[in-house]
PDB file of all heavy atoms in Angstrom:
ATOM      1  N   LEU G 342     -47.331   6.490  19.680  1.00 89.00           N
ATOM      2  CA  LEU G 342     -47.677   7.531  18.714  1.00 89.00           C
ATOM      3  C   LEU G 342     -48.008   6.841  17.358  1.00 89.00           C
ATOM      4  O   LEU G 342     -47.542   5.752  17.103  1.00 89.00           O
ATOM      5  CB  LEU G 342     -46.465   8.417  18.461  1.00 89.00           C
ATOM      6  CG  LEU G 342     -45.914   9.164  19.732  1.00 89.00           C
ATOM      7  CD1 LEU G 342     -44.546   9.766  19.374  1.00 89.00           C
ATOM      8  CD2 LEU G 342     -46.896  10.249  20.214  1.00 89.00           C
ATOM      9  N   LYS G 343     -48.878   7.567  16.591  1.00 90.00           N
ATOM     10  CA  LYS G 343     -49.246   6.948  15.367  1.00 90.00           C
ATOM     11  C   LYS G 343     -49.113   7.926  14.188  1.00 90.00           C
ATOM     12  O   LYS G 343     -49.317   9.127  14.374  1.00 90.00           O
ATOM     13  CB  LYS G 343     -50.788   6.661  15.516  1.00 90.00           C
ATOM     14  CG  LYS G 343     -51.369   5.654  14.469  1.00 90.00           C
ATOM     15  CD  LYS G 343     -52.743   5.218  14.773  1.00 90.00           C
ATOM     16  CE  LYS G 343     -53.619   6.294  14.130  1.00 90.00           C
ATOM     17  NZ  LYS G 343     -55.069   5.997  14.173  1.00 90.00           N
ATOM     18  N   LYS G 344     -48.730   7.379  13.067  1.00 86.00           N
ATOM     19  CA  LYS G 344     -48.729   8.204  11.851  1.00 86.00           C
ATOM     20  C   LYS G 344     -49.182   7.227  10.726  1.00 86.00           C
ATOM     21  O   LYS G 344     -48.463   6.249  10.478  1.00 86.00           O
ATOM     22  CB  LYS G 344     -47.282   8.710  11.622  1.00 86.00           C
ATOM     23  CG  LYS G 344     -47.246   9.753  10.421  1.00 86.00           C
ATOM     24  CD  LYS G 344     -45.862  10.298  10.378  1.00 86.00           C
ATOM     25  CE  LYS G 344     -45.577  11.156   9.181  1.00 86.00           C
ATOM     26  NZ  LYS G 344     -46.450  11.695   8.328  1.00 86.00           N
ATOM     27  N   GLU G 345     -50.173   7.668  10.026  1.00 86.00           N
ATOM     28  CA  GLU G 345     -50.663   6.877   8.857  1.00 86.00           C
ATOM     29  C   GLU G 345     -50.754   5.358   9.218  1.00 86.00           C
ATOM     30  O   GLU G 345     -50.034   4.585   8.509  1.00 86.00           O
ATOM     31  CB  GLU G 345     -49.851   7.142   7.645  1.00 86.00           C
ATOM     32  CG  GLU G 345     -49.962   8.533   7.130  1.00 86.00           C
ATOM     33  CD  GLU G 345     -48.829   9.071   6.320  1.00 86.00           C
ATOM     34  OE1 GLU G 345     -47.918   8.258   6.011  1.00 86.00           O
ATOM     35  OE2 GLU G 345     -48.818  10.146   5.956  1.00 86.00           O
ATOM     36  N   GLN G 346     -51.414   4.996  10.226  1.00 90.00           N
ATOM     37  CA  GLN G 346     -51.666   3.518  10.674  1.00 90.00           C
ATOM     38  C   GLN G 346     -50.349   2.887  11.255  1.00 90.00           C
ATOM     39  O   GLN G 346     -50.536   1.803  11.668  1.00 90.00           O
ATOM     40  CB  GLN G 346     -52.092   2.711   9.440  1.00 90.00           C
ATOM     41  CG  GLN G 346     -53.529   3.053   8.970  1.00 90.00           C
ATOM     42  CD  GLN G 346     -53.902   2.113   7.821  1.00 90.00           C
ATOM     43  OE1 GLN G 346     -53.368   2.230   6.696  1.00 90.00           O
ATOM     44  NE2 GLN G 346     -54.783   1.276   8.079  1.00 90.00           N
ATOM     45  N   MET G 347     -49.230   3.491  11.057  1.00 93.00           N
ATOM     46  CA  MET G 347     -48.098   2.876  11.716  1.00 93.00           C
ATOM     47  C   MET G 347     -47.918   3.356  13.191  1.00 93.00           C
ATOM     48  O   MET G 347     -48.155   4.561  13.470  1.00 93.00           O
ATOM     49  CB  MET G 347     -46.807   3.269  10.961  1.00 93.00           C
ATOM     50  CG  MET G 347     -46.769   2.906   9.527  1.00 93.00           C
ATOM     51  SD  MET G 347     -47.009   1.259   9.164  1.00 93.00           S
ATOM     52  CE  MET G 347     -45.428   0.550   9.536  1.00 93.00           C
ATOM     53  N   VAL G 348     -47.726   2.345  14.048  1.00 95.00           N
ATOM     54  CA  VAL G 348     -47.650   2.782  15.507  1.00 95.00           C
ATOM     55  C   VAL G 348     -46.179   2.712  15.980  1.00 95.00           C
ATOM     56  O   VAL G 348     -45.431   1.751  15.644  1.00 95.00           O
ATOM     57  CB  VAL G 348     -48.431   1.784  16.404  1.00 95.00           C
ATOM     58  CG1 VAL G 348     -48.682   2.406  17.835  1.00 95.00           C
ATOM     59  CG2 VAL G 348     -49.798   1.530  15.796  1.00 95.00           C
ATOM     60  N   TYR G 349     -45.774   3.645  16.842  1.00 93.00           N
ATOM     61  CA  TYR G 349     -44.471   3.728  17.296  1.00 93.00           C
ATOM     62  C   TYR G 349     -44.524   3.741  18.830  1.00 93.00           C
ATOM     63  O   TYR G 349     -45.347   4.358  19.372  1.00 93.00           O
ATOM     64  CB  TYR G 349     -43.696   4.998  16.874  1.00 93.00           C
ATOM     65  CG  TYR G 349     -43.654   5.009  15.335  1.00 93.00           C
ATOM     66  CD1 TYR G 349     -44.684   5.509  14.579  1.00 93.00           C
ATOM     67  CD2 TYR G 349     -42.443   4.645  14.711  1.00 93.00           C
ATOM     68  CE1 TYR G 349     -44.616   5.525  13.176  1.00 93.00           C
ATOM     69  CE2 TYR G 349     -42.391   4.691  13.267  1.00 93.00           C
ATOM     70  CZ  TYR G 349     -43.454   5.107  12.503  1.00 93.00           C
ATOM     71  OH  TYR G 349     -43.375   5.213  11.194  1.00 93.00           O
ATOM     72  N   ALA G 350     -43.489   3.076  19.454  1.00 93.00           N
ATOM     73  CA  ALA G 350     -43.400   3.043  20.888  1.00 93.00           C
ATOM     74  C   ALA G 350     -42.146   3.747  21.324  1.00 93.00           C
ATOM     75  O   ALA G 350     -41.095   3.584  20.747  1.00 93.00           O
ATOM     76  CB  ALA G 350     -43.421   1.653  21.415  1.00 93.00           C
ATOM     77  N   LEU G 351     -42.255   4.629  22.328  1.00 90.00           N
ATOM     78  CA  LEU G 351     -41.128   5.342  22.900  1.00 90.00           C
ATOM     79  C   LEU G 351     -41.170   5.359  24.447  1.00 90.00           C
ATOM     80  O   LEU G 351     -42.375   5.220  24.897  1.00 90.00           O
ATOM     81  CB  LEU G 351     -41.157   6.803  22.477  1.00 90.00           C
ATOM     82  CG  LEU G 351     -40.815   7.130  21.095  1.00 90.00           C
ATOM     83  CD1 LEU G 351     -41.878   7.988  20.437  1.00 90.00           C
ATOM     84  CD2 LEU G 351     -39.516   7.941  21.078  1.00 90.00           C
ATOM     85  N   PRO G 352     -40.106   5.539  25.129  1.00 87.00           N
ATOM     86  CA  PRO G 352     -40.181   5.714  26.505  1.00 87.00           C
ATOM     87  C   PRO G 352     -41.021   7.067  26.760  1.00 87.00           C
ATOM     88  O   PRO G 352     -40.950   7.955  25.963  1.00 87.00           O
ATOM     89  CB  PRO G 352     -38.733   5.924  26.939  1.00 87.00           C
ATOM     90  CG  PRO G 352     -37.862   5.449  25.824  1.00 87.00           C
ATOM     91  CD  PRO G 352     -38.736   5.569  24.646  1.00 87.00           C
TER      92      PRO G 352
END
Side-chain angles (χ1 to χ4, degrees):
L342 301 168
K343 194 176 85 170
K344 187 176 172 15
E345 292 158 4
Q346 292 181 288
M347 303 304 283
V348 193
Y349 299 82
L351 284 127

